[in-house]
Amino acid sequence: MNFQQLRFVREAVRRNLNLTEVANNLFTSQSGVSKQIKDLEDELGIDIFVRRGKRLTGLTEPGKAVHQLIERMLLDAENMRRVARQFADEDTGHLVVATTHTQARYALPKVVREFTQVFPKVQLALRQGNPRQIAQMLIDGEADIAISTEALDRFADIATFPCYSWHHVVVVPKRHPLVGRANVSLEEVAEYPIITYDRDFTGRSHIDESFARAGVLPDVVLTAIDADVIKTYVELGMGVGIVAAMAHDPKRDTELVALDSQHLFEGSTTRVGLRKGAFMRAFAYRFIEMFAPHLSENDIAGQLREAA
C-alpha cells in the first residue's frame, strides 16, 4: 500500500469515476491508474469499485468505508506536512482563499492588503467561483479557507463560522421616479424591470423569498454574478438593481442612488468555511482574524477539534 494508490482512489471518486480525467489530473496514464487501484484491491482482498467491463460504475459497500479512511489518511498526511512547515517556516508558505466575486471585490481588499504587509513571504491566492464550487475547492484541498454567503453550511465536511451580516439595497439612476420616495415597497420596486444576481450568488435566495412572501412576482430581466455588471446596466436605464449594500459606493457610483431597503429584504450572513480535521497554519488564522476580528484562533481551533 502506498500514498499514490490512495490518491488514485480518492481522485477516481472526485472525478466521478472517469479514469481518463484522473490520469490527466495526476499526470499519469489511464492504464497506470487502473493497475494501481487493482493492486490496492488485491492487497486488501476486496473490491473497492463496482465494475462493468473495464469501467468503474460505483463504490462497493467495503469500498465506501475504505474511501472514508483514505480521505482521513491523506488529510492526516497533509496535516503532518503543515505541522512541519508551521515550525520550520512560521511566516512562509501558501494560502489559498476561495470566495465569490462580491467578497473578493468589496469585502476583502483591505484584509488582503493588511495580510500581505504582515506576511510578505506568504503567497496569497484568491480563487473565485460560485458557492458550490468554493465549497468543493475546500473539500478537495484546493483551498485553505472558503468565504461565502451561501452553501458552505450545507456540506458535512465543512465547519462554518459567521463573520458579518449585511443587507441588499435597491439601486436606481439618480433621476429615477423612486428616488426620494419614503418607505419604498416591494410592489413599487416590482413595477420596474429587475436586474440582480444569478440564483447561486450573493443572497439571491433572500431576494426571491422576500418577493414571494409579499406575493409579488418581479420581472427579472437580467442576472449577473458581478455587482459591477448589474450597476452598469442599471446606469443604462434597463431597470432597477438589487445588490449587496457593500457593492454601492456613493463616491464611485455617482450616477446611482441606493434606496433605503433594509425593511424590504431579510439580512444575509457571510461565513468562513474550513475543512473539518484540517490543520491550519498560524498565518491562516491571522487572515481570518483580520477579516472577522471576533473569530479568534482558540475559538476556531476548538470548534474544529470538536467537529473532527
Side-chain angles (χ1 to χ4, degrees), residues 32-85:
V33 173
S34 297
K35 182 180 184 305
Q36 290 288 335
I37 291 176
K38 190 66 174 66
D39 287 347
L40 178 60
E41 290 178 320
D42 291 342
E43 181 178 348
L44 296 176
I46 61 168
D47 288 333
I48 297 174
F49 294 100
V50 179
R51 290 174 171 81
R52 180 176 297 169
K54 294 183 178 181
R55 291 180 57 248
L56 306 184
T57 60
L59 284 166
T60 64
E61 284 305 312
K64 293 175 183 177
V66 168
H67 173 247
Q68 290 181 344
L69 290 172
I70 287 173
E71 289 281 6
R72 179 78 256 177
M73 292 170 68
L74 292 177
L75 179 59
D76 285 343
E78 177 57 28
N79 283 342
M80 283 191 285
R81 286 190 286 268
R82 290 181 176 180
V83 169
R85 290 194 295 266

Side-chain angles (χ1 to χ4, degrees), residues 79-263:
N79 283 342
M80 283 191 285
R81 286 190 286 268
R82 290 181 176 180
V83 169
R85 290 194 295 266
Q86 169 77 357
F87 291 97
D89 300 295
E90 292 186 12
D91 297 334
T92 302
H94 299 80
L95 181 65
V96 180
V97 178
T99 190
T100 62
H101 175 274
T102 297
Q103 299 297 327
R105 170 69 176 81
Y106 299 105
L108 287 174
K110 292 182 180 179
V111 176
V112 169
R113 181 176 60 186
E114 180 183 359
F115 181 85
T116 55
Q117 291 172 345
V118 176
F119 297 97
K121 295 181 180 180
V122 175
Q123 296 181 10
L124 176 64
L126 295 181
R127 295 187 181 176
Q128 297 176 48
N130 67 42
R132 292 185 179 279
Q133 291 170 334
I134 292 165
Q136 199 60 52
M137 280 189 265
L138 186 66
I139 292 170
D140 290 348
E142 298 173 5
D144 303 296
I145 298 170
I147 299 175
S148 177
T149 300
E150 298 88 2
L152 295 182
D153 55 355
R154 302 173 191 168
F155 292 81
D157 293 333
I158 298 177
T160 64
F161 305 85
C163 296
Y164 67 94
S165 296
W166 53 273
H167 64 279
H168 291 94
V169 295
V170 176
V171 291
V172 297
K174 59 185 180 182
R175 294 180 180 84
H176 194 276
L178 291 179
V179 174
R181 192 174 300 181
N183 298 317
V184 173
S185 68
L186 287 174
E187 288 82 2
E188 290 174 307
V189 173
E191 291 177 4
Y192 303 91
I194 304 293
I195 305 172
T196 190
Y197 296 106
D198 186 81
R199 289 190 179 277
D200 290 331
F201 285 82
T202 320
R204 170 63 190 276
S205 60
H206 287 175
I207 296 173
D208 294 341
E209 289 165 3
S210 295
F211 279 108
R213 282 195 300 270
V216 176
L217 183 63
D219 179 20
V220 179
V221 296
L222 179 65
T223 63
I225 65 174
D226 182 344
D228 290 336
V229 172
I230 295 170
K231 291 185 293 183
T232 295
Y233 287 98
V234 173
E235 288 181 2
L236 291 174
M238 289 184 59
V240 302
I242 301 175
V243 298
M246 71 187 87
H248 177 258
D249 183 350
K251 294 181 180 179
R252 291 185 178 182
D253 302 321
T254 56
E255 296 301 312
L256 297 177
V257 174
L259 308 180
D260 182 7
S261 311
Q262 291 195 41
H263 61 291

